Amino acid sequence: VARLTPPVLLSLAITVELVLLFYFVVRVLEDENIRWILYGGSGASYCLALSCIWITNLVNPGVIPPPPNKHTIEDPEDTVNDDGEKWCRTCKHWRPPKATHCTACGFCMLNYDHHCGVVGNCIARDNHRYFIALLGVGAVGHVFLGIGVGLRIVKAFDDYGSDIWTHWWLYPMFLAAAYVVYLTLALFGFWAFQCFLASTGFTEKDVMGRGRNPDCEDVRQCPSNVYTLCCTTSGIEFRRFDHPQGRDRGYLWFQ
């Protein structure tokens, strides 16, 4: 249940945003064409965002399965080998250079980016694309929301003129406009940051945790990195629900 709580709350939050937009903003606009553009754009963004939220939460992010005989394996003296692989004392195996053990999920993850408490899952090799799509769709959806709120405020000035400040509902509308502008800029900024890192073959963990930064050679690898991000399918079939390390961590029976 705890693992599903974040996506449920996020889904409820964007649903409330959509309902408020439709009821208090779009339906009172006079231009029918603008109304249908806002209905269609925000509705499509909402559906895509919901899909990305739940796919990011439910999909296997890129777990490295621990060996079945892990309890009989002793830790080596050297925890880093000649290939740059590090030994995981919890999972009892060597993990590749870009892999990291997530204490929240209980397993090592390939191409680990970060653990996202907002969607309730690790962001790693096999769900990174959906997380980036969620950020982009969320930003676009809030652009539609901002346009609607802006047009509603403009309509209020046209309708009431100098008496507009006597209408109490305008003040929450200004707060909503500030909230939408802030959230849109934040989502676009994080989306651009994630796109840049993914296109250069880097992760947030590389930059923030390991102190590595992309160079010109990494930038030249952009086409192959984008193809890997978008088109590579997962070859890992591993049920975390059945494994001792996955117990009491909120995994569903099919995960």
Side-chain angles (χ1 to χ4, degrees):
V1 175
R3 188 167 290 272
L4 293 179
T5 301
V8 168
L9 293 178
L10 184 56
S11 299
L12 287 175
I14 65 174
T15 301
V16 169
E17 283 186 347
L18 188 74
V19 171
L20 292 177
L21 172 67
F22 283 179
Y23 186 78
F24 290 105
V25 176
V26 179
R27 75 183 183 90
V28 300
L29 298 177
E30 295 176 353
D31 192 314
E32 186 175 356
N33 291 329
I34 292 179
R35 285 206 309 271
W36 282 110
I37 289 173
L38 292 177
Y39 279 136
S42 55
S45 299
Y46 169 78
C47 293
L48 289 172
L50 276 184
S51 301
C52 291
I53 289 169
W54 286 102
I55 292 173
T56 304
N57 173 267
L58 296 176
V59 75
N60 183 338
V63 173
I64 304 174
N69 58 335
K70 58 168 286 187
H71 297 295
T72 64
I73 300 175
E74 296 183 1
D75 295 328
E77 293 183 6
D78 246 342
T79 57
V80 181
N81 65 20
D82 296 336
D83 296 324
E85 297 177 326
K86 291 185 178 181
W87 179 259
C88 179
R89 297 182 184 274
T90 303
C91 297
K92 303 296 184 181
H93 61 195
W94 295 99
R95 59 174 185 251
K98 286 184 176 293
T100 297
H101 185 88
C102 177
T103 54
C105 292
F107 298 96
C108 291
M109 304 288 177
L110 291 166
N111 286 25
Y112 175 89
D113 191 81
H114 68 285
H115 183 87
C116 182
V118 177
V119 297
N121 200 4
C122 271
I123 307 302
R125 188 190 70 177
D126 294 333
N127 67 347
H128 199 179
R129 70 197 81 174
Y130 307 114
F131 179 73
I132 292 176
L134 172 61
L135 294 175
V137 170
V140 171
H142 281 84
V143 168
F144 285 106
L145 181 58
I147 292 172
V149 172
L151 291 175
R152 182 67 183 94
I153 292 174
V154 170
K155 184 179 185 303
F157 274 99
D158 291 339
D159 290 344
Y160 303 111
S162 59
D163 295 332
I164 190 171
W165 304 109
T166 61
H167 297 271
W168 66 267
W169 57 266
L170 184 67
Y171 298 97
M173 195 67 69
F174 276 121
L175 289 176
Y179 160 79
V180 171
V181 169
Y182 168 77
L183 202 56
T184 302
L185 292 176
L187 286 170
F188 264 125
F190 194 27
W191 172 79
F193 176 65
Q194 284 286 330
C195 285
F196 173 73
L197 291 181
S199 65
T200 55
F202 276 65
T203 63
E204 191 175 316
K205 178 70 174 180
D206 288 329
V207 176
M208 304 294 188
R210 301 186 180 103
R212 299 178 60 228
N213 293 300
D215 55 24
C216 293
E217 183 59 33
D218 297 315
V219 173
R220 283 194 286 269
Q221 299 298 319
C222 177
S224 62
N225 291 329
V226 171
Y227 175 82
T228 299
L229 175 72
C230 298
C231 303
T232 302
T233 57
S234 171
I236 300 175
E237 294 294 336
F238 176 70
R239 280 166 56 97
R240 294 163 285 173
F241 177 81
D242 293 332
H243 197 276
Q245 287 177 215
R247 289 174 187 164
D248 301 322
R249 294 184 184 272
Y251 290 113
L252 301 177
W253 71 95
F254 58 84
Q255 291 185 298

